[in-house]
């Protein structure tokens, strides 16, 4: 999700988001805070928020990502539509 919809996500932020989402999902299941079918929703939300914030805090993405995200897809060169 981060890599597809944002241009600033980087590796550190993505890994931090994944770990935070997994930890949150585990904690919610152990403490029985939500109905079990909402575990993935809470985990995904935490993953996206933490991943994006950590990506911004660590400098964002510095690589060329043209054509790899939805925001840059229309500027893509090459492929069947050229």
């Amino acid at each position: 999700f981060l890599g597809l919809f944002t241009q600033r996500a980087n590796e550190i932020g993505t890994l931090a988001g994944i770990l935070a989402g997994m930890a949150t999902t585990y904690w919610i299941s152990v403490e029985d805070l939500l109905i079990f079918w909402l575990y993935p929703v809470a985990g995904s939300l935490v993953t996206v928020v933490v991943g994006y914030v950590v990506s911004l805090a660590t400098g964002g993405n510095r690589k060329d990502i043209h054509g790899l995200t939805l925001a840059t897809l229309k500027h893509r060169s090459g492929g069947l539509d050229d």
Side-chain angles (χ1 to χ4, degrees), residues 4 6-7 12 17-18 20 22 25 28 30 34 38-39 51 53 57 63-64 68 74 80-81:
L4 183 62
T6 67
Q7 297 180 34
I12 297 170
I18 290 170
M22 288 171 57
T25 304
I28 288 172
V30 168
L34 292 174
L38 291 177
Y39 295 172
V53 169
K63 296 178 182 175
D64 181 25
L68 297 177
K74 60 185 170 190
L80 298 175
D81 56 347

Side-chain angles (χ1 to χ4, degrees), residues 7-59:
Q7 297 180 34
R8 297 193 166 206
N10 61 18
E11 297 87 357
I12 297 170
T14 303
L15 290 174
I18 290 170
L19 293 175
M22 288 171 57
T24 300
T25 304
Y26 176 74
W27 177 67
I28 288 172
S29 67
V30 168
E31 296 294 325
D32 201 24
L33 298 174
L34 292 174
I35 300 171
F36 72 92
W37 59 73
L38 291 177
Y39 295 172
V41 175
S44 297
L45 183 65
V46 169
T47 298
V48 171
V49 171
V50 170
Y52 192 69
V53 169
V54 171
S55 290
L56 292 178
T58 57

